Amino acid sequence: MAADATGVGFPGGAGAFAGLTPRRSAAHRSAGRALPAAGPWGQVLRRSAHLLPAVAVVALLAVPSAPAGDGAAGSGSVADAASGLLVLHCLVRVLRDRARPLTRTAALVLGLPVLGVTIAAITAHDPASSLPGVARYLQIFVLVPGALLLLLRDRREVRLVAGSVVALALVQGAVGVTQYLTGTGASYMGEEIRAVGTFGPTDVMGMATVVAYGLVICVGFALSPGANGANAASGVDGRGQRVVRVQRAVALGCAGLLAVPLALSFSRGAWIATAVAVALQLTLAGPRRAVVVALVTGALGVVLVGGLGIGSQVITERLDSITRVTDAPDQSVTDRYTMWAAATGMWREHPVTGVGLKGFPDYRDSHASLALSAASDTEGAGLGFQRQPLLSPHNMYLLVLSEQGLLGIVALAGSWAALLVCALRRLPGARRSRTGADCGLAVTGLLVWQLVDFSYADIGGPSTVLTAVMLGLAAGWALGPAGRPAKSEAGRA
């Protein structure tokens, strides 16, 4: 910061250049005035250029993904390729700087999943066939989060990456609402009205995940206490206060807008996870601010869904189905419960190391009951009728338990739990300093959302790489310098 301040004041240092001729002095002053020609945006781009690969990963998720030949969601998307470039970019920076890349705590938290994944691959029935699973697990839970942890230097950069996720959510949400209104979405109860964004009917959870991430981030930003309580000490003027209020209003408005495509995704798991995450954020933010945000968001939801009638009847029926999962479950619920039972059976036979990575499809039929339909029907959103095979239990915890055993679930879930604990420990300090509580609330909400959603979903499909970005944001806040208070941050507020 001292170098920046010196650079700004350098051209105006009259004492140091008193001996210059008027013509040279004027030329120098002209050059000094030309330095900021790039403007504040140019300075932001130079300061955040190292984050462009991370933003590119998020932006490329808007590119439509082609399904695999068997109807399953394809996994080799351009966003996945960009995540590989992100890891390579980070590696080059680490080698160039020759600095110690990770703290011991960060290395332990991010390295835990490697243990279970490696042992499960070695003990698999066919180790060669499990190699793609090893690469996928390391990409999502180790490499991409670790790269973001090393790249994120302060809370401003956390906000930048989180803002790119919100922008993606708004784009995907707009596409999803258009699909519902024009009847060009995925098939749902005989009508092509399900909002799936650019992910298509083979990845119906893709848009719901992106939109839910964006909504949780916006709620966290809207709940931030800002710097109002420390204006005299930090030098925040009236203009700064207005900027903070505008940012909160924009975040709150975006949260209300994103609630519409989330509702039109008809994803019960995403609804439950979002409700839990937002409730926790409201609790952590304090009662008064929580009441204001809850009332405003609820009013927007009532106007858009109830008042305008956007999907109100279908949404009501979908909500009612949550309470009927045990009394009168539909076929999707029956299939899910059957696969959960099959995953539990696999774990009982192989309790320590599981059946091996990518082993669930091979052992499914021998452990599942006849109630399992073995495939789901997909149609709409530009694709014809297809049968999508059920290759996982749609529960991340049971998937890891069945394929990696107790060793894998303890390592992976332990890493997530440690990440959440570290994030929560830094939140009180950020609230006291009133400079980073927005990042802490957003990251904590994202982690809780993912941990709840993993009870109804697992990794797979093009949108999975965004889970890695979310974990990277969480790691940057909980384990890196972005979560530590900086002395100059209050002055920059």
Side-chain angles (χ1 to χ4, degrees), residues 191-253:
E191 299 181 82
E192 295 184 357
I193 58 173
R194 188 168 190 174
V196 293
T198 63
F199 296 103
T202 57
D203 188 13
V204 293
M205 282 293 296
M207 190 213 72
T209 299
V210 173
V211 169
Y213 280 171
L215 191 151
V216 171
I217 291 172
C218 288
V219 171
F221 286 173
L223 290 172
S224 170
N228 291 341
N231 292 335
S234 62
V236 178
D237 55 9
R239 182 176 178 273
Q241 296 180 45
R242 288 193 298 272
V243 170
V244 171
R245 286 196 293 268
V246 169
Q247 290 174 346
R248 290 177 184 164
V250 171
L252 196 56

Side-chain angles (χ1 to χ4, degrees), residues 310-329:
I310 300 179
S312 56
Q313 181 179 357
V314 183
I315 292 173
T316 301
E317 294 176 355
R318 191 67 166 171
L319 285 172
D320 292 340
S321 69
I322 296 177
T323 61
R324 299 197 308 265
V325 293
T326 56
D327 298 333

Side-chain angles (χ1 to χ4, degrees), residues 41-400:
W41 289 108
Q43 297 178 11
V44 171
L45 287 176
R46 287 194 300 269
R47 193 166 52 231
S48 306
H50 62 288
L51 292 177
L52 290 179
V55 175
V57 173
V58 177
L60 289 174
L61 281 170
V63 178
S65 301
D70 58 356
S75 58
S77 66
V78 290
D80 287 307
S83 71
L85 293 178
L86 168 64
V87 174
L88 181 61
H89 167 70
C90 179
L91 179 61
V92 170
R93 285 178 60 88
V94 169
L95 294 177
R96 184 192 64 188
D97 297 340
R98 298 180 180 179
R100 181 178 177 179
L102 295 175
T103 64
R104 293 179 181 177
T105 302
L108 177 62
V109 171
L110 293 181
L112 273 176
V114 179
L115 177 64
V117 170
T118 303
I119 295 179
I122 295 174
T123 59
H125 177 70
D126 185 2
S129 64
S130 66
L131 290 180
V134 173
R136 191 63 161 168
Y137 272 90
L138 294 182
Q139 173 202 11
I140 302 303
F141 300 117
V142 180
L143 297 178
V144 175
L148 273 174
L149 168 61
L150 294 172
L151 291 177
L152 293 172
R153 299 176 299 191
D154 54 36
R155 294 163 179 175
R156 181 182 57 247
E157 296 183 353
V158 172
R159 296 185 186 103
L160 175 63
V161 178
S164 67
V165 176
V166 174
L168 173 67
L170 290 172
V171 171
Q172 291 287 355
V175 174
V177 172
T178 302
Q179 290 172 335
Y180 174 83
L181 295 176
T182 58
T184 56
S187 179
Y188 177 76
M189 299 182 66
E191 299 181 82
E192 295 184 357
I193 58 173
R194 188 168 190 174
V196 293
T198 63
F199 296 103
T202 57
D203 188 13
V204 293
M205 282 293 296
M207 190 213 72
T209 299
V210 173
V211 169
Y213 280 171
L215 191 151
V216 171
I217 291 172
C218 288
V219 171
F221 286 173
L223 290 172
S224 170
N228 291 341
N231 292 335
S234 62
V236 178
D237 55 9
R239 182 176 178 273
Q241 296 180 45
R242 288 193 298 272
V243 170
V244 171
R245 286 196 293 268
V246 169
Q247 290 174 346
R248 290 177 184 164
V250 171
L252 196 56
C254 291
L257 292 175
L258 291 173
V260 179
L262 178 63
L264 298 179
S265 68
F266 305 134
S267 174
R268 293 169 292 198
W271 292 350
I272 295 172
T274 304
V276 174
V278 171
L280 176 66
Q281 288 177 309
L282 294 174
T283 303
L284 294 174
R288 188 172 68 176
R289 195 175 304 277
V291 169
V292 173
V293 173
L295 289 177
V296 174
T297 306
L300 286 173
V302 169
V303 171
L304 293 173
V305 178
L308 301 180
I310 300 179
S312 56
Q313 181 179 357
V314 183
I315 292 173
T316 301
E317 294 176 355
R318 191 67 166 171
L319 285 172
D320 292 340
S321 69
I322 296 177
T323 61
R324 299 197 308 265
V325 293
T326 56
D327 298 333
D330 54 32
Q331 186 58 47
S332 64
V333 175
T334 301
D335 288 339
R336 183 164 301 184
Y337 284 172
T338 304
M339 289 189 294
W340 288 3
T344 305
M346 297 177 198
W347 166 68
R348 287 172 179 166
E349 291 186 3
H350 305 81
V352 179
T353 59
V355 297
L357 289 181
K358 295 290 185 179
F360 181 86
D362 297 331
Y363 289 82
R364 181 197 61 190
D365 293 338
S366 60
H367 292 81
S369 67
L370 296 177
L372 181 65
S373 62
S376 61
D377 300 336
T378 61
E379 189 177 8
L383 293 179
F385 177 81
Q386 292 181 346
R387 293 280 290 171
Q388 185 174 353
L390 303 177
L391 303 178
S392 69
H394 293 287
N395 182 305
M396 189 64 195
Y397 303 107
L398 291 178
L399 175 63
V400 175

